[in-house]
Amino acid sequence: MKWIPALGLAALFAVGSTAAHAAKTIKVGNFFPDSHPVNIALNETFKKEVEARSNGELKVRIFSNAVLGGDEKLYNSVRGGTLEMAIIGNIMENEVEHVGIIQLPFLFNNYAHAQAVFASPIGETLVSDMTEKTGLHFLAYGVQGFRVIASNRSIQSMDDFKGLRLRFPGIENMIAIGKGLGANITPLPISEVFSALEQRVVDGVENPYPNIVASKWYEVTSHILESNHVFTPNLYMMNDKFWNGLSESEKTIVSEAAKAAAEQEWKLLIASEEKDKQVLSDAKVEIIVPDAAFKQQMIDAVQGSYDNFYSGHPRAREIVEEIRAIKP
């Protein structure tokens, strides 16, 4: 046996110990600007809690502003394992049995209703087959908000949707909602929306207030219809193989930090809506709140989305009824 000097042996063990305890890095991607509630919550809560509670054994790097891509690219990156974690929307609704229910039109009454649903057993049901179908581990429900329509012309009746070129996300049910309203739908990556509005490739975009303000789309639009036609969550998702590579204590830290960040995100976003509306008002953007008759016409126009969804998801009708029955 070859003799190893004491100093060399100590150094060998030191190297081995360092390698064994090398910090794991959780790269977190999202497409929101730095000023958006999701990135504030990720930096102030998720990153700080994970790194502090793990004593530096876990490191968090946040990639905002679509630098790693939009929803689809982030989704595929986390599935493929090149990204450990992402905050995404309902991009997986064609693969996960019930998660698409969340974005059925005019389903949630308000933020309190949505929060009560996600905190109930229904919240678990909606993502129960997420890992099996996608290879992703679900951590928490965040919030993008209720979607409104920013456009370069006033929308005050169903007739005003005719010929209107609207950007909708490239999700089947969302496209169906836009068409149900009577608009011409153009799916575009979120990173291309500003230039598309500026160059009049599209006449408008639908998204929650915080996204419209943070992305400065109000600089190239003049009106907003407060339709609240769809509620959109943020889903905190982690690659399941990475998740399973964490120790039990690390899993607890990550899970609790994600839930705490999501909770902060909800509070920040709800509080920000009035401020966002003031920004829009100061920018001379007209906010149109539909009267009861117009709102009902929009609701009636998109009911086909429910029939289409129910035809491919046998239990969906029952879940929708449970959601509507929940009182915050």
Side-chain angles (χ1 to χ4, degrees), residues 29-313:
N30 68 81
F31 58 77
F32 299 97
D34 291 331
S35 59
H36 191 278
V38 70
N39 280 308
I40 295 173
L42 283 173
N43 280 286
E44 290 185 357
T45 298
F46 184 76
K47 177 179 172 66
K48 286 183 179 179
E49 287 199 9
V50 167
E51 293 184 348
R53 291 178 59 187
S54 70
N55 296 316
E57 293 294 315
L58 295 174
K59 298 292 186 183
V60 175
R61 294 183 64 195
I62 298 165
F63 297 84
S64 58
N65 227 6
V67 295
L68 298 183
D71 244 12
E72 185 174 0
K73 189 168 183 181
L74 291 170
Y75 176 50
N76 289 330
S77 295
V78 180
R79 292 186 77 179
T82 57
L83 182 63
E84 287 76 28
M85 181 175 166
I87 316 300
I88 52 181
N90 273 34
I91 188 76
M92 72 294 293
E93 70 171 38
N94 289 334
E95 295 162 276
V96 179
E97 180 72 14
H98 296 125
V99 76
I101 290 173
I102 298 171
Q103 290 198 143
L104 286 172
F106 301 104
L107 177 59
F108 295 98
N109 302 324
N110 48 43
Y111 286 115
H113 182 211
Q115 284 181 294
V117 169
F118 297 138
S120 77
I122 295 172
E124 296 179 11
T125 298
L126 295 171
V127 295
S128 59
D129 59 342
M130 181 73 74
T131 301
E132 175 190 347
K133 296 292 181 63
T134 68
L136 300 181
H137 178 79
F138 172 81
L139 291 168
Y141 284 107
V143 55
Q144 289 189 45
F146 285 92
R147 302 174 83 95
V148 300
I149 299 172
S151 65
N152 56 29
R153 70 188 201 211
S154 176
I155 305 172
Q156 302 203 40
S157 71
M158 294 303 294
D159 287 340
D160 293 329
F161 283 111
K162 295 176 182 175
L164 191 70
R165 297 167 300 176
L166 288 181
R167 181 270 177 185
F168 266 64
I171 300 172
E172 184 179 351
N173 195 49
M174 290 296 294
I175 293 171
I177 291 168
K179 289 181 176 178
L181 292 172
N184 294 332
I185 303 306
T186 301
L188 286 172
I190 201 164
S191 58
E192 297 177 15
V193 170
F194 189 95
S195 60
L197 288 166
E198 188 175 40
Q199 297 166 18
R200 297 301 174 98
V201 174
V202 294
D203 301 309
V205 57
E206 57 78 63
N207 243 258
Y209 276 117
N211 295 2
I212 291 169
V213 171
S215 300
K216 299 188 181 298
W217 295 332
Y218 63 90
E219 293 182 355
V220 283
T221 54
S222 56
H223 295 77
I224 284 183
L225 173 64
E226 194 172 284
S227 51
N228 291 348
H229 51 283
V230 164
F231 172 85
T232 296
N234 278 328
L235 304 180
Y236 285 54
M237 308 299 303
M238 179 168 276
N239 177 274
D240 192 54
K241 289 183 179 178
F242 181 83
W243 169 258
N244 286 323
L246 299 176
S247 67
E248 290 306 310
S249 63
E250 288 172 338
K251 287 179 179 179
T252 298
I253 290 167
V254 169
S255 178
E256 292 179 354
K259 287 179 172 62
E263 183 177 351
Q264 182 187 11
E265 182 189 334
W266 278 87
K267 290 177 180 177
L268 289 171
L269 185 132
I270 293 169
S272 75
E273 278 208 355
E274 288 307 313
K275 296 177 184 177
D276 292 334
K277 290 181 185 182
Q278 187 60 51
V279 169
L280 296 166
S281 179
D282 292 345
K284 309 302 181 187
V285 174
E286 181 185 2
I287 297 176
I288 300 162
V289 179
D291 61 25
F294 182 19
K295 186 71 171 277
Q296 189 59 52
Q297 288 172 344
M298 287 191 284
I299 291 171
D300 293 341
V302 297
Q303 284 309 295
S305 296
Y306 283 87
D307 297 332
N308 290 339
F309 198 87
Y310 292 160
S311 67
H313 304 81

